[in-house]
Amino acid sequence: MRELALALGRFSSIEADSGGVTLRVAYRRDGKVPLAAAQQVLRRAVQSLATTAERYGPYPYRALTFCVLEAGRGFSDAREYPGFILLLLDRGYSPTTHQDVAHEVGHQWFYGLVGNDIYRDPWLDEALAQY
């Protein structure tokens, strides 16, 4: 792993298995991220991990954690780190979230395993993760 990210706070979490990989979704306990949104993220993560592993090879780590927060900024956003994905939702799970989960899972291969300088040449990993 080339980076480390973490989230501090009071979280609840749900888990599922996808091909021997533990997928975990941590979400705020205060209700700003509803359980239903966390469950949708988890379902999409399981699907995305299986599809991407089938195309590019097995996921190299034992776990992948999503930290889901309510952004309250008028738009959703996401950031990828090896083994960790931060999702900022705007008013819950949306079609944008659906796309973001798959895109960020793709980054586990393109940037996570096949690295590049994300500040100098972001087009490399962004293009491959989007594909």
Side-chain angles (χ1 to χ4, degrees), residues 97-113:
T97 309
H98 192 75
Q99 293 172 5
D100 284 347
V101 170
H103 177 87
E104 300 306 327
V105 167
H107 275 300
Q108 297 301 301
W109 280 262
F110 300 106
Y111 172 67
L113 291 178

Side-chain angles (χ1 to χ4, degrees), residues 65-69 77-81 84-88:
T65 300
F66 287 77
C67 180
V68 184
L69 302 171
D77 201 4
R79 293 287 180 263
E80 76 281 352
Y81 303 91
F84 183 85
I85 295 170
L86 175 64
L87 288 175
L88 301 171

Side-chain angles (χ1 to χ4, degrees), residues 36-101:
Q39 290 170 329
Q40 287 179 292
V41 168
L42 185 60
R43 280 193 297 274
R44 179 63 169 160
V46 167
Q47 178 188 43
S48 297
L49 190 69
T51 299
T52 309
E54 184 178 304
R55 289 181 181 163
Y56 303 119
Y59 183 68
Y61 312 119
R62 289 185 262 179
L64 175 57
T65 300
F66 287 77
C67 180
V68 184
L69 302 171
E70 177 63 39
R73 317 186 294 182
F75 62 92
S76 297
D77 201 4
R79 293 287 180 263
E80 76 281 352
Y81 303 91
F84 183 85
I85 295 170
L86 175 64
L87 288 175
L88 301 171
L89 305 184
D90 184 52
R91 293 184 286 271
Y93 193 90
S94 70
T96 300
T97 309
H98 192 75
Q99 293 172 5
D100 284 347
V101 170

